[in-house]
Amino acid sequence: MVSIGVGILGGGTVGGALATRLLTEQDAIAAKSGLTLELRHLAVRDPGKPRPYVFPPNLMTTVPEEVVDDPEVDLVVELMGGLEPAAGLVMRALQAGKPVVTANKELMATTGAELLEEAGRRGVSLLFEAAVGGAIPIIRPLSESLAGERITEVLGIVNGTTNFILTRMCQQATTFREALAEAQSLGYAETDPTADVSGADAAAKAAILASLAFGTWVGRDMVHTEGIESLDVADIGFAADLGYVPKLLAIASETGTGIAVRVHPTLVPVGHPLASVSGSQNAIYLRGPGVDELLFAGPGAGGGPTATAVLGDIIEVARELLAGAPAPPRVRLAPAGLRPVAELETSWYLRLEVVDRAGVLARIAGAFGDLGVSIESMVQIGRGETATLIFVTHPSPESGSRRAIEALSGLDVVRQVAAAIRVLIA
Ligand SMILES: NC(=O)c1ccc[n+]([C@@H]2O[C@H](COP(=O)([O-])OP(=O)(O)OC[C@H]3O[C@@H](n4cnc5c(N)ncnc54)[C@H](OP(=O)(O)O)[C@@H]3O)[C@@H](O)[C@H]2O)c1
């Protein structure tokens, strides 16, 4: 059996799990794939660091360039994370004519267009199945199985940390801070959770999903992004009474006059397939005229699940190497015609704290009506000096809704617009 030399850059959560599988499951992988994968090097920052598996010292290096440049390394696996030195090393491998597998969403959402172009120029593959959704197969389905489908919408729960936090806030009525602390104590959230809770991690994945679904280059900085930090547990309770579940959604849609890509907290109707995706699970839901609806769901992170996705890419690339015929580029990226979020139709859940007296409703309805926003439902909670009014609006252009929210804030009968959360237009 022919053997393929594999060099891994990064031996942390994913790289460590992958290296362990390559060392301990070599025969099983060979029996199933017909390939012998030989781990030649594992680059880390600190070889003395305690790791769950003790790797042979001769495999470890602190010089990642050595891994890329070794003629015995046929394919390079980048699992360091971050932009540099990962981007430079991936480019170096591609320029040397070596295929690359990566799980790095930040890398792909920032420099993916350049790297894919270089891979195409050199006639080698750059695969990144694990960059979105961990173990969930979604990159290959989007770029191959669904290459003939005209996808109209992709909705993703692509960040397990925020989904865990929101699930806890729903199920146990804990505050955002309490749920975040629990996520941190269970290892679902980093000590610095900013990238997750701000939506930045999901934005990188949204950019990748949109690029593949619509065959157009969407960079991470082109994604309108809002996080979950300011969600109030009170609204989660009120929304539940109205039949909604909060999710941090990555939304990429074909609007007819351009693509729109955004990440923001969204109230999802309880009957929608994404509403029941709970805890740290991820899911990607997509629609198109041929397939109607598809749902991909499963563990979106973790060393073991993610290593499985990386291993699948490695086996595919190794087969191409053996066949001596690299696959033609799977992804073609034309420049994007993006629509700003302000132009989209959006529907809102609004919680207003108002003065409880006659005529207030008429003033509020007037402010909505003046800006062309119509009300789907309204609930009053409590009486007394201040009453709480909850509105759900019909879809209307986001710019009008935003002006309506501003106008409401300025009314003397409105003490505050206490919450404004978008509602999924299903
Ligand atoms: N963790 C997940 O569940 C998951 C899921 C999907 C995708 N991903 C992606 O997979 C990638 C890896 O994530 P991870 O969680 O495995 O990260 P990690 O645990 O932080 O591991 C990073 C590894 O890279 C090594 N490294 C970093 N900079 C280096 C340098 N300059 N030279 C040599 N080695 C260096 C580190 O060495 P030391 O061990 O010595 O520190 C460590 O082994 C990221 O792009 C991430 O977004 C992760």
Side-chain angles (χ1 to χ4, degrees):
M1 205 177 291
V2 189
S3 77
I4 299 288
V6 179
I8 307 180
L9 308 175
T13 307
V14 183
L18 175 70
T20 307
R21 302 264 300 267
L22 289 176
L23 292 172
T24 60
E25 297 176 20
Q26 198 184 41
D27 292 346
I29 294 168
K32 201 163 172 199
S33 66
L35 296 161
T36 302
L37 300 176
E38 291 283 355
L39 178 59
R40 307 264 193 227
H41 302 282
L42 179 62
V44 294
R45 232 175 338 216
D46 173 9
K49 195 167 160 179
R51 298 175 197 275
Y53 186 86
V54 181
F55 298 108
N58 64 323
L59 280 183
M60 312 278 273
T61 173
T62 53
V63 188
E65 291 78 6
E66 273 179 19
V67 179
V68 175
D69 297 345
D70 182 347
E72 296 216 316
V73 167
D74 301 303
L75 73 90
V76 173
V77 185
E78 185 281 307
L79 297 168
M80 299 163 99
L83 274 183
E84 286 299 345
L89 291 161
V90 168
M91 187 58 99
R92 185 178 177 121
L94 295 172
Q95 285 172 342
K98 296 187 182 187
V100 175
V101 172
T102 179
N104 191 336
K105 69 239 149 191
E106 203 182 343
L107 176 79
M108 292 309 298
T110 312
T111 59
E114 265 168 70
L115 295 172
L116 286 164
E117 203 181 303
E118 187 62 27
R121 214 176 358 251
R122 304 282 170 176
V124 292
S125 287
L126 167 60
L127 299 189
F128 49 98
E129 181 60 69
V132 182
I136 305 170
I138 184 64
I139 301 297
R140 192 166 290 114
L142 276 176
S143 45
E144 294 181 22
S145 327
L146 296 167
E149 177 67 9
R150 192 170 58 77
I151 293 168
T152 53
E153 185 177 48
V154 182
L155 304 176
I157 295 173
V158 289
N159 181 274
T161 306
T162 45
N163 206 44
F164 176 88
I165 292 171
L166 292 174
T167 303
R168 277 294 189 271
M169 289 175 77
C170 285
Q171 292 176 347
Q172 290 166 9
T174 50
T175 64
F176 168 74
R177 290 276 149 221
E178 289 163 344
L180 171 60
E182 189 186 351
Q184 284 170 322
S185 72
L186 292 169
Y188 290 133
E190 307 276 338
T191 319
D192 176 2
T194 315
D196 291 321
V197 300
S198 69
D201 173 87
K205 294 166 181 170
I208 296 172
L209 289 173
S211 298
L212 295 175
F214 302 117
T216 187
W217 169 248
V218 179
R220 174 192 168 145
D221 55 359
M222 295 151 88
V223 180
H224 173 91
T225 309
E226 296 170 31
I228 64 164
E229 308 94 319
S230 58
L231 280 189
D232 188 327
V233 65
D235 291 301
I236 290 180
F238 295 142
D241 294 341
L242 294 170
Y244 296 109
V245 182
K247 296 289 173 197
L248 180 68
L249 286 193
I251 306 176
S253 44
E254 169 52 74
T255 66
T257 51
I259 289 151
V261 192
R262 56 212 161 101
V263 168
H264 52 64
T266 310
L267 295 179
V268 175
V270 75
H272 190 281
L274 290 176
S276 55
V277 177
S278 61
S280 63
Q281 294 283 295
N282 281 199
I284 295 105
Y285 165 92
L286 55 86
R287 290 208 295 211
V291 296
D292 193 14
E293 297 178 297
L294 286 174
L295 181 69
F296 302 78
T306 309
T308 294
V310 175
L311 202 40
D313 278 352
I314 293 174
I315 291 169
E316 182 173 340
V317 167
R319 285 182 176 143
E320 286 171 15
L321 285 172
L322 283 186
R330 294 160 178 80
V331 187
R332 293 186 188 279
L333 301 175
L338 280 192
R339 270 192 80 182
V341 167
E343 290 175 11
L344 302 180
E345 295 269 301
T346 50
S347 172
W348 290 82
Y349 160 103
L350 301 173
R351 172 161 61 93
L352 273 55
E353 304 297 338
V354 303
V355 176
D356 191 8
R357 66 164 187 254
V360 169
L361 265 184
R363 301 269 310 278
I364 291 172
F368 275 121
D370 289 348
L371 289 154
V373 179
S374 68
I375 298 163
E376 183 187 299
S377 65
M378 196 279 289
V379 179
Q380 174 164 354
I381 295 155
R383 301 203 75 89
E385 265 197 18
T386 304
T388 298
L389 297 181
I390 290 174
F391 294 91
V392 175
T393 67
H394 279 296
S396 58
E398 165 118 355
S399 52
S401 302
R402 289 210 159 272
R403 284 203 301 276
I405 294 168
E406 250 177 67
L408 289 168
S409 307
L411 291 180
D412 57 358
V413 293
V414 173
R415 293 203 199 281
Q416 65 165 329
V417 178
I421 311 171
R422 291 181 191 80
V423 176
L424 182 67
I425 305 170

